[in-house]
Amino acid sequence: MVKVLVTGANGQLGSELRKISDLFPEIEFSFTDVGELDITDPWKVADFLGIFKPRFLVNCAAYTAVDKAETDIETATLLNATAVGILAEQSAEIGCKMIHVSTDYVFNGRGPRPYKEDDPVDPQSAYGKTKLEGEVLCMKNNPEYMIIRTSWLYSAFGNNFVKTMIRLGNERDELGVIADQVGSPTNAADLAHAILTIISSVENNSKSFVPGIYHYADEGVASWYDFTKAIFEIARINCLVNPIASEDYPSPVQRPAYSVMNKSKIKLNFGLQIPHWRDSLSEYFQKKQ
Ligand SMILES: NC(=O)c1ccc[n+]([C@@H]2O[C@H](COP(=O)([O-])OP(=O)(O)OC[C@H]3O[C@@H](n4cnc5c(N)ncnc54)[C@H](OP(=O)(O)O)[C@@H]3O)[C@@H](O)[C@H]2O)c1
């Protein structure tokens, strides 16, 4: 049995990991959230790691309130950067590999083609800046690291764009949705499956653990407008969707206009097959029935 510690396990990604954990009987999991293991507390992290002695740590804990981070940069930094440094340092101490999840927001969103892992970073938001600081600390403190950047996560757990749109679509007859920001909607269940497949294949020696940054998102590209149209179509919600420009939707955060990531590296290194976002969205609704 390989021991895997999941932090931030009550969030979207952590909950999806828990949900599919039975599919990986070779893994002994410890699922923790702030109640069991506060990742900002170095003593608790050291104690927990020392007792459980995991071979992998999957960090799903984060400060993900993108707008709020602009005015609460201290807390965002503590969780997205300082705590990641603590986890990386302490996991390295016991020879535990760290899989840390990061974001497309480390890029400025002005790229001409899907972002590769080594493209220059240039975060435009407080959230993106703190996540980038976390990446740097992760790499610095644990040489046995994998950083997986993902985008536009949704899940049956927690709050997300899909749930908000379903609510609004049921309340209103008409909705304006941003059409000039594109990215790849990603079902957190797909990312959870990819992470556990990676761990499992490293453990059975069919793949090797190559430290580095990786990009993972569901296949395909959509604007928020396209995404909303697909949600309403699949969920059979009768609400007219009108495309609007980012400038017509005031926000404290400048969100990336172009958030598409190149996933060749993770697909090649780990033989992953990534579903198209539209298929995965259909599956999400099928499973909910
Ligand atoms: N959501 C997206 O669209 C998106 C896009 C790209 C990348 N990502 C990245 O993907 C990862 C997973 O995102 P997610 O959407 O699953 O996040 P999430 O739903 O916000 O989950 C984060 C979890 O961490 C917990 N947490 C907060 N403070 C903690 C602490 N001190 N110690 C331990 N746990 C703590 C949170 O608890 P509380 O809820 O009680 O605070 C929550 O359960 C994150 O690294 C995020 O930056 C997300």
Side-chain angles (χ1 to χ4, degrees), residues 8 10-13 33-34 37-40 60-62 64 79 101-104 127 131 150-153:
N10 293 347
Q12 296 195 82
L13 178 60
D33 205 277
V34 64
L37 179 56
D38 178 349
I39 64 162
T40 65
C60 303
T64 54
L79 257 172
V101 184
S102 191
T103 172
D104 53 316
Y127 168 74
K131 290 294 288 184
T150 190
S151 67
W152 295 26
L153 277 190

Side-chain angles (χ1 to χ4, degrees), residues 150-287:
T150 190
S151 67
W152 295 26
L153 277 190
Y154 66 92
S155 141
F157 306 95
N159 293 319
N160 53 62
F161 185 79
V162 175
K163 289 188 180 177
T164 304
M165 287 300 126
I166 291 171
R167 180 175 51 77
L168 291 177
N170 283 320
E171 284 169 9
R172 301 186 193 172
D173 298 327
E174 206 170 329
L175 208 57
V177 182
I178 292 173
D180 57 3
Q181 289 173 17
V182 296
S184 305
T186 303
N187 189 336
D190 297 332
L191 175 56
H193 204 273
I195 290 172
L196 296 187
T197 302
I198 290 169
I199 292 176
S200 188
S201 52
V202 166
E203 277 304 303
N204 70 21
N205 291 319
S206 60
K207 302 284 175 209
S208 40
F209 188 90
V210 183
I213 299 176
Y214 293 83
H215 288 171
Y216 182 99
D218 283 344
E219 294 284 16
V221 176
S223 66
W224 295 110
Y225 166 79
D226 300 326
F227 192 20
T228 307
K229 294 265 287 179
I231 294 165
F232 289 177
E233 196 184 301
I234 298 168
R236 296 203 179 89
I237 292 172
N238 203 4
C239 173
L240 180 67
V241 189
N242 299 311
I244 62 168
S246 302
E247 63 199 38
D248 296 329
Y249 187 84
S251 160
V253 174
Q254 195 197 331
R255 289 184 157 74
Y258 183 82
S259 254
V260 184
M261 294 189 291
N262 180 316
K263 285 105 47 182
S264 304
K265 184 177 169 189
I266 203 162
K267 287 196 279 188
L268 204 69
N269 280 23
F270 298 103
L272 298 180
Q273 295 209 336
I274 304 181
H276 191 278
W277 70 264
R278 202 177 272 271
D279 296 333
S280 214
L281 185 66
S282 297
E283 193 157 321
Y284 168 84
F285 281 105
Q286 271 162 26
K287 283 192 177 148

Side-chain angles (χ1 to χ4, degrees), residues 1-246:
M1 291 280 267
V2 51
K3 287 188 182 180
V4 174
L5 169 63
V6 180
T7 48
N10 293 347
Q12 296 195 82
L13 178 60
S15 300
E16 294 290 355
L17 284 164
R18 195 194 299 257
K19 191 172 159 197
I20 61 164
S21 56
D22 286 353
L23 301 175
F24 295 83
E26 69 278 25
I27 302 179
E28 180 186 344
F29 290 94
S30 177
F31 290 102
T32 62
D33 205 277
V34 64
E36 301 77 36
L37 179 56
D38 178 349
I39 64 162
T40 65
D41 184 334
W43 304 107
K44 288 215 174 99
V45 171
D47 283 352
F48 204 101
L49 288 172
I51 293 166
F52 185 57
K53 295 194 175 62
R55 201 131 71 204
F56 288 85
L57 161 61
V58 182
N59 180 33
C60 303
Y63 186 104
T64 54
V66 175
D67 287 1
K68 232 172 110 192
E70 294 296 318
T71 50
D72 190 12
I73 191 144
E74 228 171 273
T75 319
T77 303
L78 180 65
L79 257 172
N80 291 344
T82 316
V84 177
I86 293 169
L87 289 174
E89 189 180 343
Q90 304 285 354
S91 54
E93 284 275 318
I94 60 157
C96 165
K97 295 175 171 49
M98 175 153 167
I99 299 182
H100 173 62
V101 184
S102 191
T103 172
D104 53 316
Y105 276 55
V106 297
F107 297 115
N108 64 21
R110 296 194 282 271
R113 51 143 180 82
Y115 285 105
K116 292 184 182 164
E117 287 78 357
D118 54 2
D119 279 338
V121 286
D122 179 23
Q124 300 293 298
S125 60
Y127 168 74
K129 286 177 190 150
T130 60
K131 290 294 288 184
L132 179 59
E133 282 174 52
E135 288 190 2
V136 172
L137 289 169
C138 179
M139 293 186 263
K140 183 169 155 253
N141 292 358
N142 189 342
E144 291 287 290
Y145 75 92
M146 261 183 83
I147 291 168
I148 304 182
R149 294 183 183 137
T150 190
S151 67
W152 295 26
L153 277 190
Y154 66 92
S155 141
F157 306 95
N159 293 319
N160 53 62
F161 185 79
V162 175
K163 289 188 180 177
T164 304
M165 287 300 126
I166 291 171
R167 180 175 51 77
L168 291 177
N170 283 320
E171 284 169 9
R172 301 186 193 172
D173 298 327
E174 206 170 329
L175 208 57
V177 182
I178 292 173
D180 57 3
Q181 289 173 17
V182 296
S184 305
T186 303
N187 189 336
D190 297 332
L191 175 56
H193 204 273
I195 290 172
L196 296 187
T197 302
I198 290 169
I199 292 176
S200 188
S201 52
V202 166
E203 277 304 303
N204 70 21
N205 291 319
S206 60
K207 302 284 175 209
S208 40
F209 188 90
V210 183
I213 299 176
Y214 293 83
H215 288 171
Y216 182 99
D218 283 344
E219 294 284 16
V221 176
S223 66
W224 295 110
Y225 166 79
D226 300 326
F227 192 20
T228 307
K229 294 265 287 179
I231 294 165
F232 289 177
E233 196 184 301
I234 298 168
R236 296 203 179 89
I237 292 172
N238 203 4
C239 173
L240 180 67
V241 189
N242 299 311
I244 62 168
S246 302

